[in-house]
Amino acid sequence: MSTEEENRTVFDVAAASMLTKELRDVFASGKTRSYEWRISQLKSMIKMCDEHEEDIADALHQDLSKPKLESIVYELRDSEITTTISLLCPRALIFSVSVCPELEVCDRWIPYFLGFETGWEYLGFDSLSESEITMLKNSCALAIKELKQWMMPEKAKTSLLTFPSSAEIVSEPLGVVLIISAWNYPFLLSLDPLVGAISAGNTMVLKPSELSPATSTLLAKLLPEYLDVSSIKVVEGAVSETSALLEQKWDKIFYTGNGRVGRIVMAAAAKHLTPVVLELGGKSPVVVDSGIDLQIATRRIIIGKWGCNNGQACISPDYIITTKDCADKLVDSLKKELDTFYGENPLESKDISRIVSSNHFSRLTKLLDDDKVSGKIVYGGERDEANLKIAPTILLDVPRDSLIMKEEIFGPLLPILIVSKIEDSWDVINSGTKPLAAYLFTNNKKLKEQFVMSVSAGGVTINDIAMHLAIHTLPFGGVGESGTGSYHGIFSFDAFSHKKAVLYRSFMGDAALRYPPYTLGKIRLLKALMTSNLWTILRALLGLS
């Protein structure tokens, strides 16, 4: 048994209990409540990213075969920053490109960055490794910029009942929190919630996913080097270590993963009345209307599906709904663009992530081999079990009672359902559990309004895929079985804060009517004061009510 394995076997309930006690002692000291401590940790996290970018990218590549970024991004990033352009590239998720002053930043440059023109190298997808790093740094930078404002008490209105008085809402840290992260974006999904927990002034334990061992090991090594090791702990391991942690009393648990484990986390939290944030998933639908720019729509669907970890993302499109007259055109466009992005043999493409494990590979294979859908494959279907790769696969006119429609796919398979009219899609979506995201492609204003009002989902994007994730002023989270709670931007700060109501009163204005003995006149006046309506109060004073 290796030393590392020996160390992991001793992390039991007793060790977890000792760990949480240490963190409670640190929290009780008040150190993490200070603005200076919070800012120092956020700056240190950015420094860690800058100094270990290659190490992080290598770990992500080991865990999911995420291709490294092409050199042009590094060249642009190292130039003097004049403009930041947020992009969704055909082979890259959301990231920021620093544009040097020598470049003329105008609309004609955008197609090059997006890869719609020839002559330039595509920005290598994953960029997912780069995007995870950049998105985390952006999250830290935003928190540093806004933290004073977030921490500032929020003024609240008072009523005549408490006159004279003032009131405010004070954000205070919850205490000791547990963050359990996922394997599909193991760097970002570990540290982005950490940004919120730090910003709010908590002490915390991070439990990275054991299914991303390279990233987990790297986080366990780097965080103690850069962050306050007395306040921020990393626990590696699998089920036994997670179970030991869940036995403890926490002031909040933040879990990212699937619904099955989410239920276990919620049940464990319920024993201590611990609040939770559950970032889960679900079958996120894409509704495609006729009369749209089909090329742009299919490009955005492709990058949102296969460009996001080869479908292994919580906001990845799970299935498409369209009408019969649009289906064939949609499939043809998807085929054409997939060939453009990933070539005739996508299993050899460096821009396709592998499936995370043999178990997930077997699960996806079972979905494909179901008798109800095996004859529905109109594109792809190729598999390479040795390298855990499955090609982008499109299935047309899939029965709603097939296996592939009964669970979240979380992989490179994309079924297409056919409906008589596009409005029928609402019933199809609402007949299942509420998804984490829902997407609609249309130019019809009425359909957009109906979709937003009729479909319940964690978030909605019209005419694009996953882009609501990039807007820090929007909360990101699920509803129903796709999760509870939200984060990103100020919502991350709020997720790890308690909003404490504070009322300030003086010794002036102490009315006798609030004290016994209570007469009918006192009761009438008290009722009137509770309405804060001057006319009602006047009537009570005059004995007219």
Side-chain angles (χ1 to χ4, degrees), residues 24 40 43 206 253 285 287 338 353 360 469 475:
R24 290 203 180 279
S40 70
K43 288 182 176 179
L206 169 64
I253 299 176
V287 179
L338 281 166
S353 297
H360 279 277
L469 176 70

Side-chain angles (χ1 to χ4, degrees), residues 200-218:
N202 300 279
T203 58
M204 65 215 70
V205 171
L206 169 64
K207 167 59 183 68
S209 173
E210 68 275 14
L211 295 181
S212 302
T215 305
S216 177
T217 299
L218 185 64

Side-chain angles (χ1 to χ4, degrees), residues 201-460:
N202 300 279
T203 58
M204 65 215 70
V205 171
L206 169 64
K207 167 59 183 68
S209 173
E210 68 275 14
L211 295 181
S212 302
T215 305
S216 177
T217 299
L218 185 64
L219 288 171
K221 173 180 178 291
L222 293 182
L223 262 61
E225 293 179 10
Y226 285 86
L227 303 183
D228 179 4
V229 71
S230 70
S231 308
I232 303 167
K233 307 286 188 179
V234 180
V235 174
E236 288 193 275
V239 175
S240 61
E241 288 81 4
T242 305
S243 298
L245 289 169
L246 288 174
E247 285 287 320
Q248 310 310 309
K249 176 175 173 55
W250 304 93
D251 296 300
K252 191 143 200 179
I253 299 176
F254 190 110
Y255 168 75
T256 304
N258 61 58
R260 180 183 61 82
V261 178
R263 287 175 171 83
I264 295 171
V265 171
M266 201 167 191
K271 295 177 182 178
H272 302 287
L273 295 180
T274 298
V276 297
V277 172
L278 301 178
E279 293 291 340
L280 307 177
K283 296 187 73 64
S284 297
V286 182
V287 179
V288 179
D289 191 19
S290 58
I292 62 172
D293 188 320
L294 204 53
Q295 184 186 37
I296 291 178
T298 51
R299 282 175 175 260
R300 292 175 177 176
I301 292 170
I302 288 169
I303 194 58
K305 175 68 174 181
W306 295 283
C308 291
N309 258 358
N310 205 11
Q312 299 170 106
C314 58
I315 53 172
S316 171
D318 193 272
Y319 62 100
I320 291 176
I321 307 175
T322 192
T323 54
K324 187 174 182 180
D325 61 335
C326 185
D328 290 339
K329 297 175 184 176
L330 175 61
V331 170
D332 289 343
S333 184
L334 285 167
K335 289 179 179 179
K336 179 182 177 181
E337 300 303 328
L338 281 166
D339 286 344
T340 301
F341 292 164
Y342 304 118
E344 294 183 0
N345 189 355
L347 292 179
E348 295 180 359
S349 172
K350 295 180 179 179
D351 297 326
I352 292 286
S353 297
R354 68 170 172 81
I355 307 305
V356 68
S357 68
S358 57
N359 286 339
H360 279 277
F361 187 94
S362 298
R363 178 184 62 82
L364 291 166
T365 298
K366 183 180 178 182
L367 297 181
L368 268 183
D369 292 341
D370 177 16
D371 290 340
K372 293 182 178 179
V373 302
S374 58
K376 301 287 186 177
I377 299 173
V378 293
Y379 182 88
E382 299 86 2
R383 313 163 202 177
D384 179 357
E385 187 172 1
N387 293 305
L388 297 180
K389 280 202 165 188
I390 298 177
T393 302
I394 302 170
L395 304 96
L396 181 61
D397 198 16
V398 169
R400 289 174 60 186
D401 62 349
S402 57
L403 286 177
I404 204 169
M405 291 305 300
K406 291 181 179 179
E407 65 178 68
E408 182 180 8
I409 295 169
F410 222 73
L413 320 179
L414 185 61
I416 299 176
L417 305 184
I418 306 296
V419 291
S420 298
K421 60 181 186 295
I422 211 69
E423 291 86 351
D424 293 342
S425 304
W426 314 167
D427 291 335
V428 174
I429 297 168
N430 291 331
S431 67
T433 59
K434 297 178 180 181
L436 182 59
Y439 308 110
L440 170 67
F441 287 87
T442 185
N443 286 319
N444 188 309
K445 182 180 178 181
K446 184 178 179 181
L447 281 180
K448 294 176 186 178
E449 293 172 350
Q450 288 179 352
F451 188 75
V452 171
M453 294 300 295
S454 302
V455 174
S456 181
V460 168

Side-chain angles (χ1 to χ4, degrees), residues 461-505:
T461 296
I462 306 295
N463 291 332
D464 213 327
I465 301 291
M467 289 302 286
H468 63 290
L469 176 70
I471 309 301
H472 69 78
T473 53
L474 292 176
F476 177 73
V479 58
E481 291 197 22
S482 61
T484 181
S486 59
Y487 72 127
H488 289 181
I490 192 173
F491 305 101
S492 293
F493 177 85
D494 290 344
F496 291 99
S497 300
H498 166 60
K499 299 300 183 181
K500 182 165 59 180
V502 181
L503 177 69
Y504 298 95
R505 294 205 70 199

Side-chain angles (χ1 to χ4, degrees), residues 19-20 22-42 45 147 150-151 170-179 191-206 223 227-233 249-254 274-275 277 487 489-499:
L19 181 64
T20 55
E22 291 174 3
L23 289 172
R24 290 203 180 279
D25 290 342
V26 173
F27 180 74
S29 73
K31 176 173 68 171
T32 62
R33 290 174 177 262
S34 75
Y35 172 79
E36 291 75 18
W37 181 87
R38 305 181 199 195
I39 290 295
S40 70
Q41 300 307 297
L42 295 170
M45 202 179 295
L147 187 56
W150 294 349
M151 293 175 65
V170 175
S171 295
E172 67 175 10
L174 292 170
V176 184
V177 301
L178 172 63
I179 297 169
L191 298 187
D192 206 11
L194 208 73
V195 171
I198 289 171
S199 299
N202 300 279
T203 58
M204 65 215 70
V205 171
L206 169 64
L223 262 61
L227 303 183
D228 179 4
V229 71
S230 70
S231 308
I232 303 167
K233 307 286 188 179
K249 176 175 173 55
W250 304 93
D251 296 300
K252 191 143 200 179
I253 299 176
F254 190 110
T274 298
V277 172
Y487 72 127
I490 192 173
F491 305 101
S492 293
F493 177 85
D494 290 344
F496 291 99
S497 300
H498 166 60
K499 299 300 183 181

Side-chain angles (χ1 to χ4, degrees), residues 69-106:
L69 199 61
E70 302 293 341
S71 60
I72 183 172
V73 172
Y74 291 96
E75 292 169 4
L76 288 172
R77 186 199 62 218
D78 292 337
S79 303
E80 181 182 345
I81 298 175
T82 57
T83 307
T84 299
I85 306 174
S86 293
L87 303 174
L88 185 67
C89 297
R91 301 191 180 191
L93 193 62
I94 308 145
F95 64 97
S96 296
V97 176
S98 302
V99 183
C100 57
E102 290 78 17
L103 293 179
E104 180 187 354
V105 182
C106 59

Side-chain angles (χ1 to χ4, degrees), residues 8-61:
R8 288 185 178 181
T9 58
V10 300
F11 191 85
D12 54 12
V13 173
S17 178
M18 185 178 298
L19 181 64
T20 55
K21 183 181 183 303
E22 291 174 3
L23 289 172
R24 290 203 180 279
D25 290 342
V26 173
F27 180 74
S29 73
K31 176 173 68 171
T32 62
R33 290 174 177 262
S34 75
Y35 172 79
E36 291 75 18
W37 181 87
R38 305 181 199 195
I39 290 295
S40 70
Q41 300 307 297
L42 295 170
K43 288 182 176 179
S44 294
M45 202 179 295
I46 293 176
K47 183 180 180 183
M48 179 187 75
C49 292
D50 288 338
E51 294 182 354
H52 292 277
E53 189 171 88
E54 283 295 323
D55 295 330
I56 297 164
D58 287 342
L60 292 170
H61 182 75

